[in-house]
Amino acid sequence: MPESPDPAPFIAELRAALPGLHILTEPNETEAYRFDETEYLHPGRPIGVAFPESTNDVATIVRIAAARGVPVVPRGAGTGLSGGATAVDGALTIVLTRMDRILEIDRRNLLAVVQPGVINADLGKAAAAEGLFYAPDPASYETCSIGGNLAENSGGLRCLKYGVTRDAVLGLEVVLADGSVIRTGGRTIKDVAGYDLTHLFVGSEGTLGIITEAILRLRPAPPPKLTLLAFFPTVHAAGEAVAGITAAGLVPVTLELMDRFTIRAVDAALRVGLPEDAGAMLMIESDAGGDAAADELDRAEAACGAAGATEVVRAADPTEADWLREARRKAHWSLEQAGVARMDDVGVPRDRVPDLLDAIERISLDAGLPVGVFGHAGDGNLHPTFVVDREDPTAEGRINAARARIYEAALSLGGTITGEHGTGVAKRGFLEAQVGPDAVRVMRAVKAALDPQGILNPGKVL
Ligand SMILES: Cc1cc2nc3c(=O)[nH]c(=O)nc-3n(C[C@H](O)[C@H](O)[C@H](O)COP(=O)(O)OP(=O)(O)OC[C@H]3O[C@@H](n4cnc5c(N)ncnc54)[C@H](O)[C@@H]3O)c2cc1C
């Protein structure tokens, strides 16, 4: 293998150009920035980790990196689940968390202007203080950054009604691969001038540009939610209820699923008092307000009954509802208490959720791998999570074989290999199976046009 060039002159040039730039170069300091939440992917070692504080810092770093052909890896809070922010040998990791200012909440236009390092929950709180609402809320909302959300086009627990991150973006400021800075979109709701570059960067996982500012859509705060839990004898029956709710034309704000394995893990970890013998549970919420919310939940309850629900309970008050929602958000964490929990992410058209659940169950049995399934069932987006013993040397190979079968099943049902966690490193080997060689060729052409040297987050997505 050829030796990497000495990084010292590059680091020295960065320090000279940006004397105030915080930059780590010692391996014991940079180690924590090698990984995201996918430790199984064995990332590389960065030559340094830089913490820019302004768009000018980012642009200068990228300009110097481009001139020297040094690759860069944009990084937000590192909560990603597909390896997008993992370090690359010989690359500089650029951490955007110091650019964490909410620059403006514009009530008159229902929008916010933010830097990429703002934590999702902080934007939610700032909007709420103005009687407004920022809809996208990944389960990691208390730790993940808006930049990461934009780069992954993240989803969450409210997408069914309000859409994913893409649907909340009006405009971006982006540092390109040569260090130049562009603005896309703007403050208008409608804007069809030229190609839609805003949505090209959203979901591009740091491979086409580095987002340094975003104009995000806010909404008036919705009324308080009503929350219902429905329990089913089997996961298939819960899947049928999801299909029934969709077919009834209902669009609740939340329609989340947990299977038996996950229910038990959550209950063991958090002592919520969920029924141990339930085969699956749906959490359904309405923020339609007053009688409309009660009516929406009545109709959802009827669909659950038709699918064979054994028990339906409603949260007594908002505190109990918050508590139940938190239990759902902690599903992955709860499974982690039982061993290594490898969370995956697939999606299918909503009427195929029961088929996907059946396929996952079959694959888990065949592989002899326990699986907890939970996720955004109302979006057709599930997170099958294999839970294995930390010391089992065969686990890695068996999980890899099983997850390939799950992607195959999702694709055969007209679905996707990833609904919201992204392609990253984890799934790039499966991308062509979904989109086909011609679409991959177009993606490569876009990448080559925007990043001809291939220095932006190399080895990710494509
Ligand atoms: C417990 C748990 C629950 C989760 N729940 C959900 C969920 O419900 N829905 C969901 O969609 N995801 C979920 N995630 C995944 C993860 O939180 C999201 O993908 C999140 O958006 C990542 O944000 P981050 O700031 O941590 O980004 P990072 O992990 O740091 O980076 C993610 C990607 O974005 C790129 N990137 C980061 N910042 C920028 C920038 N400014 N410009 C360009 N590229 C950038 C990186 O290069 C990388 O490719 C969950 C993760 C965990 C651990």
Side-chain angles (χ1 to χ4, degrees):
M1 223 164 75
E3 265 196 28
S4 302
D6 177 9
F10 168 61
I11 301 289
E13 190 179 347
L14 287 183
R15 288 196 162 122
L18 298 168
L21 179 69
H22 182 55
I23 178 161
L24 306 173
T25 52
E26 294 303 319
N28 65 335
E29 297 172 325
T30 58
E31 179 66 16
Y33 298 93
R34 290 178 59 211
F35 301 88
D36 61 2
E37 289 284 336
T38 54
E39 55 183 278
Y40 60 93
L41 286 175
H42 316 297
R45 291 181 191 284
I47 55 172
V49 179
F51 297 80
E53 295 184 16
S54 67
T55 300
N56 180 57
D57 285 356
V58 178
T60 306
I61 294 168
V62 176
R63 188 172 39 73
I64 295 171
R68 291 178 175 270
V70 176
V72 297
V73 175
R75 180 182 174 96
T79 68
L81 288 164
S82 55
T86 51
V88 171
D89 282 331
L92 178 79
T93 292
I94 302 178
V95 180
L96 282 305
T97 50
R98 289 192 176 193
M99 294 177 65
D100 63 350
R101 280 184 305 138
I102 297 173
L103 301 169
E104 190 182 344
I105 302 264
D106 177 352
R107 285 188 57 83
R108 287 158 67 94
N109 288 300
L110 293 181
L111 57 84
V113 183
V114 304
Q115 292 188 315
V118 170
I119 298 299
N120 179 294
D122 291 340
L123 176 58
K125 280 184 218 144
E130 298 283 337
L132 300 174
F133 171 64
Y134 179 64
D137 69 330
S140 53
Y141 74 121
E142 284 174 319
T143 46
C144 64
S145 74
I146 293 292
N149 297 171
L150 290 161
E152 295 289 1
N153 189 15
S154 295
L157 278 69
R158 303 193 284 233
C159 305
L160 178 54
K161 184 161 179 179
Y162 295 111
V164 292
T165 301
R166 176 182 52 228
D167 302 302
V169 188
L170 294 172
L172 296 175
E173 178 187 77
V174 183
V175 173
L176 299 178
D178 61 358
S180 57
V181 183
I182 62 165
R183 283 191 168 267
T184 72
R187 289 175 181 244
T188 57
I189 292 295
K190 299 173 93 175
D191 177 357
V192 292
Y195 295 144
D196 185 355
L197 296 180
T198 304
H199 291 107
L200 179 63
F201 289 109
V202 173
S204 67
E205 303 189 32
T207 63
L208 300 181
I210 303 183
I211 298 163
T212 47
E213 202 175 291
I215 303 173
L216 302 173
R217 190 171 185 167
L218 302 177
R219 298 164 180 271
K225 286 187 254 196
L226 294 185
T227 303
L228 173 156
L229 297 188
F231 296 94
F232 297 84
T234 63
V235 80
H236 184 89
E240 291 292 353
V242 171
I245 289 167
T246 311
L250 300 175
V251 189
V253 60
T254 305
L255 180 41
E256 295 285 314
L257 174 135
M258 296 203 292
D259 73 349
R260 183 196 307 269
F261 194 87
T262 311
I263 293 173
R264 289 184 175 177
V266 167
D267 215 53
L270 300 171
R271 308 262 167 240
V272 193
L274 299 172
E276 270 222 333
D277 53 343
M281 180 193 104
L282 290 180
M283 168 182 272
I284 307 168
E285 297 192 292
S286 174
D287 67 357
D291 291 348
D295 179 56
E296 191 169 36
L297 289 195
D298 286 348
R299 293 175 64 202
E301 183 170 342
C304 290
T310 46
E311 192 186 350
V312 175
V313 290
R314 296 197 189 203
D317 53 46
T319 311
E320 190 177 66
D322 286 347
W323 190 49
L324 293 170
R325 208 173 303 117
E326 200 48 26
R328 156 60 193 93
R329 287 190 198 276
K330 291 257 159 62
H332 181 232
W333 176 84
S334 301
L335 289 166
E336 279 181 322
Q337 309 313 303
V340 174
R342 178 86 83 79
M343 175 163 30
D344 219 302
D345 169 49
V346 283
V348 289
R350 288 174 279 187
D351 65 338
R352 307 310 297 271
V353 167
D355 304 312
L356 178 64
L357 287 164
D358 289 347
I360 294 169
E361 205 164 40
R362 231 178 10 252
I363 293 164
S364 147
L365 285 173
D366 288 354
L369 286 168
V371 72
V373 185
F374 59 94
H376 320 296
D379 305 324
N381 179 202
L382 296 178
H383 299 315
T385 302
F386 292 110
V387 181
V388 291
D389 189 336
R390 254 168 236 292
E391 309 302 330
D392 180 352
T394 68
E396 183 77 19
R398 289 191 297 139
I399 289 180
N400 283 336
R403 73 189 187 109
R405 283 189 63 199
I406 290 180
Y407 306 155
E408 231 172 75
L411 293 180
S412 74
L413 294 167
T416 172
I417 57 169
T418 172
E420 59 178 15
H421 292 169
T423 309
V425 179
K427 297 197 174 169
R428 67 188 170 145
F430 299 92
L431 181 62
E432 190 167 316
Q434 176 172 331
V435 303
D438 289 339
V440 169
R441 183 169 49 77
V442 173
M443 290 182 195
R444 285 193 193 285
V446 171
K447 169 76 175 166
L450 283 170
D451 180 17
Q453 291 192 88
I455 64 161
L456 285 177
N457 217 0
K460 315 291 171 68
V461 183
L462 293 170

